[in-house]
Amino acid sequence: MEASRQPNSNPPRVANGNGTANGGASTTNGARPTFPPTKAQQYRLPYRPQPPSPSRRRRRRGCCCVCCLWLTLFLIALVFLAAIAAGVLYVLYRPQRPTFSVSSLRLAALNLSAADLLTSRLDLSVTTRNPNRKLVFVYDDVAISASSGGVTIGEGTIPGFAQGTDNTTVLKTTVSSSGRSLDPTEASDLRKRKRYPLEIELDTNAGVKIGGFKSKRLGIRASCDGIEAVVAKGNATATTTGSAKCKVKLRIKIWNWTI
């Protein structure tokens, strides 16, 4: 009895161009099968980065807020500590401002030429007092200017000095002008006057010394008025007497501003 024939389940092998048999997707020698690229692979879109998720944004904002909060608290703590230190120093030393006054002034010369050129000379004495018992004032050079009715008639300088505790110092200097050109209106106004109300202004920088400690220098401006100079007729020299206390103001410079 002949054995019954059963259908072959394997597909027929077809020889490819290389002469090897290819059955479906199988390859010879155990090589991995290759397939033609699909349409999705041929027309793949370029990669575009995705924006950060809202949760990451919230985390960044939270970190910035925390940093700003800590920085604000740190600055508040510094201001608080500085205020405490200033209060302690004030209680211990009771600092007071120095005082200035013009004790005497002599108008030695005041001449106006036909070309409105001013020549003047003022000899003056300035008295300054340090009322503090524990603080020493250290001054830089003092710039002095004298004016009458808004017209500057002389300038001078006093060398820097140190003023001890509970001390009164008399400073003598000369304020002068040589050939300073004036506006015709200013020159005419000076010629008409017989009495000259004078304003004396002193500008300097001063620091405080406590033992071995020296503070940073601050600007000081002293403005003195209430003095009159009289020029006698036919005489270019006159003597004037007068004493005026000066208003002292601190000048603090912050960046490009001075207050």
Side-chain angles (χ1 to χ4, degrees):
M1 186 174 180
E2 293 181 358
S4 60
R5 293 182 179 181
Q6 296 180 356
N8 189 3
S9 60
N10 297 324
R13 296 183 178 182
V14 180
N16 55 15
N18 296 330
T20 59
N22 190 0
S26 62
T27 57
T28 60
N29 299 330
R32 192 172 183 179
T34 59
F35 298 95
T38 63
K39 290 184 177 181
Q41 293 175 341
Q42 291 178 355
Y43 302 99
R44 180 178 296 175
L45 297 175
Y47 173 74
R48 294 180 180 179
Q50 299 296 324
S53 61
S55 60
R56 291 183 179 179
R57 293 180 181 177
R58 285 193 292 268
R59 290 176 188 171
R60 292 176 182 176
R61 291 177 182 174
C63 292
C64 292
C65 292
V66 171
C67 292
C68 291
L69 177 61
W70 279 109
L71 180 61
T72 303
L73 293 176
F74 178 72
L75 293 177
I76 292 174
L78 284 181
V79 172
F80 183 71
L81 292 176
I84 293 176
V88 171
L89 289 175
Y90 180 80
V91 171
L92 291 177
Y93 296 101
R94 299 284 182 178
Q96 301 180 49
R97 293 182 182 181
T99 61
F100 292 84
S101 63
V102 178
S103 53
S104 66
L105 183 145
R106 181 177 182 270
L107 181 58
L110 181 60
N111 297 320
L112 272 171
S113 67
D116 296 335
L117 299 179
L118 174 66
T119 301
S120 63
R121 178 182 172 183
L122 294 89
D123 299 324
L124 61 104
S125 299
V126 177
T127 302
T128 176
R129 175 165 175 74
N130 177 12
N132 299 280
R133 297 182 178 180
K134 298 181 180 180
L135 304 180
V136 176
F137 288 127
V138 181
Y139 294 93
D140 291 343
D141 292 348
V142 183
I144 303 179
S145 64
S147 60
S148 178
V151 180
T152 302
I153 60 175
E155 295 178 340
T157 304
I158 297 176
F161 63 98
Q163 189 174 26
T165 59
D166 196 17
N167 176 267
T168 300
T169 304
V170 178
L171 307 171
K172 295 184 178 182
T173 186
T174 298
V175 177
S176 62
S177 177
S178 178
R180 182 175 180 268
S181 178
L182 297 182
D183 184 85
T185 304
E186 297 175 343
S188 177
D189 183 58
L190 285 180
R191 286 192 180 99
K192 292 177 182 178
R193 292 185 181 182
K194 295 181 180 181
R195 292 179 175 270
Y196 298 90
L198 296 178
E199 297 88 27
I200 309 296
E201 197 168 75
L202 299 91
D203 281 301
T204 185
N205 295 320
V208 176
K209 182 179 179 182
I210 307 173
F213 170 77
K214 292 183 180 180
S215 71
K216 184 179 179 180
R217 283 169 166 74
L218 297 178
I220 292 180
R221 170 169 290 178
S223 302
C224 319
D225 54 13
I227 304 173
E228 280 192 347
V230 180
V231 178
K233 292 183 179 180
N235 191 349
T237 303
T239 302
T240 181
T241 59
S243 179
K245 290 186 177 180
C246 309
K247 296 179 181 179
V248 180
K249 294 182 180 180
L250 295 178
R251 305 185 68 198
I252 302 174
K253 188 173 183 180
I254 303 176
W255 288 292
N256 293 328
W257 296 278
T258 301
I259 57 175

